[in-house]
């Protein structure tokens, strides 16, 4: 069955969409507002400003791909829709990072889990960083607005078996747990959210705010990599930005360049991309790229007696914050428990071991259950996150040291996840560590976890949540931007993405970025229209 593709129809009807791969000459463009990046921050900002009548240009490094391109195939989706083909890693290769690289950014490929910023995180930002205007009560209207715009609501369908294992384990052990809200409308419950939504049910920026902005005469330039921002002669503002156009493969250079002059620039390239652009532009102070946080994720697998088929059904609908909010924020790292979808390619490159052992486990894929523990970093004194730096070719790299505080959280979370899976009826459990075998009992697994060496590449860690790197602050000497994302030095630069967060969120960050972006975009709209 062929489904309508409203974005393709809009392009056919004359939306201002340019593809860098098809340009035969250099581009010179002009706009009121240049928005660099089309993810949660850039997408929300583009709609607000375009609806106000401002001439908005969105620039995106990735390609414009729509529902007709989403074929539910891992081998196609990861190279086309993710940074570094879903293989981006920290400098020591210790953490694999999943980030979107397409129009809509990570909102196009995330698993739709929507949480408001925890109140204790917002209160901490007020107490420690002086960001009192971001208290829980003040943020409620912005969360309400974001949820209404993007269809964020309770998921009415029963959890799939993968999520049910987490729920059953929590019930058996008496652990606090709940259901996850999702940003979907008319979801088909397929389970392939990470490969782009083929039915346009996921309310990502790709199908909501970006089309709305284009309908209001905004423009989009895709397959265009911003190399640097262009400061004015006095160094107090920006003239615009310049960069290179990318070929159809999304990586090769065409030899063509682009330059944009703009009255205002919004950086929304994400918590690795935004600091990288500032660094390449020679506009970085001592805060840029520092304290970049990941929610490092520890993983535990289990073979269940029943079929789990974790590749089917809504990916994430159950969670537990039992170990997130039951201890001081600045104490041992807390962690949030969730489950991921389990598709063959992604699980195959994540599983520990090799040879017959891994092949045997892959043969049991329909019975495989996987649990995640998202570690909340940035609050403990020894949890400083990582640093974004530039490689010799100007591309960004995140150096993320794995220290004793983080490893302690990993070990504790493994113990929790293994116990939960056995409590839910698992036949065998294996924490994802190169020296950890499948074991048939909680007692054996507990003893094995206690003795595991904790080093990069032995313990397999992943993350899909990148935050910080251009943090907001209450004073110019404390960060890069103020609480509205306004740059402390460059008068016509705003940063509106997850890079402004001074710590990790402690929850899946998409809704936090949506709400903060709306707040910043409305302030910017008022300033530009004054």
């Amino acid at each position: 069955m062929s489904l309508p593709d409203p974005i393709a129809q809009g392009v056919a009807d004359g939306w201002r969409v340019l593809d860098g791969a098809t340009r035969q000459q250099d581009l010179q463009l002009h706009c009121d507002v240049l928005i660099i990046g089309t993810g949660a921050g850039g997408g929300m900002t583009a709609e607000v400003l375009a609806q106000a009548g401002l001439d908005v240009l969105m620039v995106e490094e990735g390609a414009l791909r729509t529902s007709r391109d989403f074929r539910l195939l891992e081998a196609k989706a990861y190279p086309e829709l993710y940074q570094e083909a879903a293989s981006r890693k920290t400098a020591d290769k210790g953490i694999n990072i999943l980030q979107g690289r397409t129009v809509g950014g990570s909102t196009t490929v995330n698993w739709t889990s929507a949480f408001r910023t925890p109140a204790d995180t917002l209160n901490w930002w007020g107490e420690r960083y002086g960001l009192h205007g971001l208290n829980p009560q003040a943020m409620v209207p912005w969360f309400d607005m974001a949820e209404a715009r993007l269809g964020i609501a309770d998921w009415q369908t029963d959890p799939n078996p993968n999520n049910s294992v987490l729920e059953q384990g929590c019930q058996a052990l008496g652990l606090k747990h709940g259901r996850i809200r999702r940003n979907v409308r008319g979801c088909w419950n397929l389970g392939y959210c990470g490969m782009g939504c083929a039915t346009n049910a996921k309310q990502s920026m790709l199908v909501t705010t970006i089309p709305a902005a284009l309908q209001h005469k905004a423009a989009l330039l895709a397959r265009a990599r911003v190399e640097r921002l262009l400061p004015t002669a006095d160094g107090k503002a920006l003239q615009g930005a310049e960069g290179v156009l990318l070929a159809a493969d999304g990586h090769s250079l065409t030899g063509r360049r682009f330059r944009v002059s703009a009255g205002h620039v919004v950086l929304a390239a994400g918590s690795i991309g935004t600091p990288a652009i500032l660094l390449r532009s020679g506009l970085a102070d001592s805060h840029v790229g520092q304290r970049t946080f990941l929610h490092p994720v520890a993983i535990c697998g289990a073979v269940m007696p029943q079929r789990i088929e974790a590749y089917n059904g809504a990916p994430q609908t159950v969670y537990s914050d039992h170990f997130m909010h039951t201890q001081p924020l600045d104490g041992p790292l807390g962690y949030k428990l969730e489950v991921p979808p389990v598709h063959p390619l992604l699980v195959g490159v994540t599983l520990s071991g090799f040879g017959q052992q891994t092949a045997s486990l892959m043969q049991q894929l329909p019975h495989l259950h996987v649990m995640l523990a998202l570690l909340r970093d940035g609050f403990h004194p020894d949890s400083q996150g990582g640093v974004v730096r530039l490689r010799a070719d100007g591309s960004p790299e995140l150096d993320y040291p794995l220290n004793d505080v983080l490893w302690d959280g990993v070990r504790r979370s493994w113990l929790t996840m293994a116990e939960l899976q056995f409590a839910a009826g698992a036949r065998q459990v294996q924490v994802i560590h190169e020296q950890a075998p499948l074991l048939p009992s909680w007692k054996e697994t507990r003893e094995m976890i206690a003795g595991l060496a904790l080093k990069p590449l032995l313990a397999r860690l992943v993350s899909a949540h990148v935050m910080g790197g251009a943090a907001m602050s209450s004073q110019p000497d404390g960060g890069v931007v103020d609480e509205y994302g306004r740059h402390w030095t460059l008068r016509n630069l705003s940063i509106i993405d997850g890079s402004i967060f001074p710590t990790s969120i402690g929850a899946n960050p998409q809704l936090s970025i949506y709400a903060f972006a709306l707040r910043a975009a409305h302030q910017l709209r008022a300033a530009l229209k004054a």
Side-chain angles (χ1 to χ4, degrees), residues 291-360:
R291 290 182 61 83
T292 305
F293 298 103
L294 279 179
H295 287 158
V297 173
I299 314 169
C300 193
V303 178
M304 305 299 294
Q306 73 275 27
R307 289 180 70 89
I308 298 296
E309 298 184 3
Y311 36 82
N312 286 328
Q316 293 185 322
T317 56
V318 176
Y319 75 100
S320 174
D321 273 351
H322 186 91
F323 298 92
M324 182 70 80
H325 300 302
T326 52
Q327 57 207 44
L329 267 76
D330 57 354
L333 269 59
Y335 45 90
K336 188 183 199 76
L337 300 176
E338 297 174 345
V339 302
V342 180
H343 296 285
L345 196 160
L346 196 58
V347 74
V349 299
T350 304
L351 285 176
S352 52
F354 56 92
Q356 185 56 47
Q357 174 189 351
T358 300
S360 176

Side-chain angles (χ1 to χ4, degrees), residues 84 88 272-273 276 280 388-391 393-398:
E84 301 177 39
R88 171 169 274 184
I272 293 177
R280 286 199 298 265
V388 175
R389 300 192 177 105
L390 297 179
R391 301 184 182 98
D393 64 357
S395 63
E397 181 177 64
L398 176 60

Side-chain angles (χ1 to χ4, degrees), residues 81-157:
L81 304 177
Y82 285 80
Q83 290 284 359
E84 301 177 39
S87 296
R88 171 169 274 184
K89 298 182 185 299
T90 51
D92 64 1
K93 310 297 189 269
I95 305 178
N96 195 63
I97 304 170
L98 297 177
Q99 273 187 300
R101 184 180 182 268
T102 185
V103 173
S106 293
T107 76
T108 301
V109 295
N110 70 22
W111 299 336
T112 77
S113 301
F115 294 91
R116 295 189 176 195
T117 313
D120 55 1
T121 296
L122 294 174
N123 289 331
W124 180 274
W125 292 353
E127 295 165 7
R128 296 301 175 100
Y129 301 104
L131 299 167
H132 300 292
L134 306 176
N135 64 78
Q137 184 177 359
M139 289 303 300
V140 166
W142 303 108
F143 286 123
D144 288 345
M145 187 182 300
E147 290 169 351
R149 175 67 182 93
L150 302 174
I152 295 172
D154 295 340
W155 177 241
Q156 300 299 324
T157 303

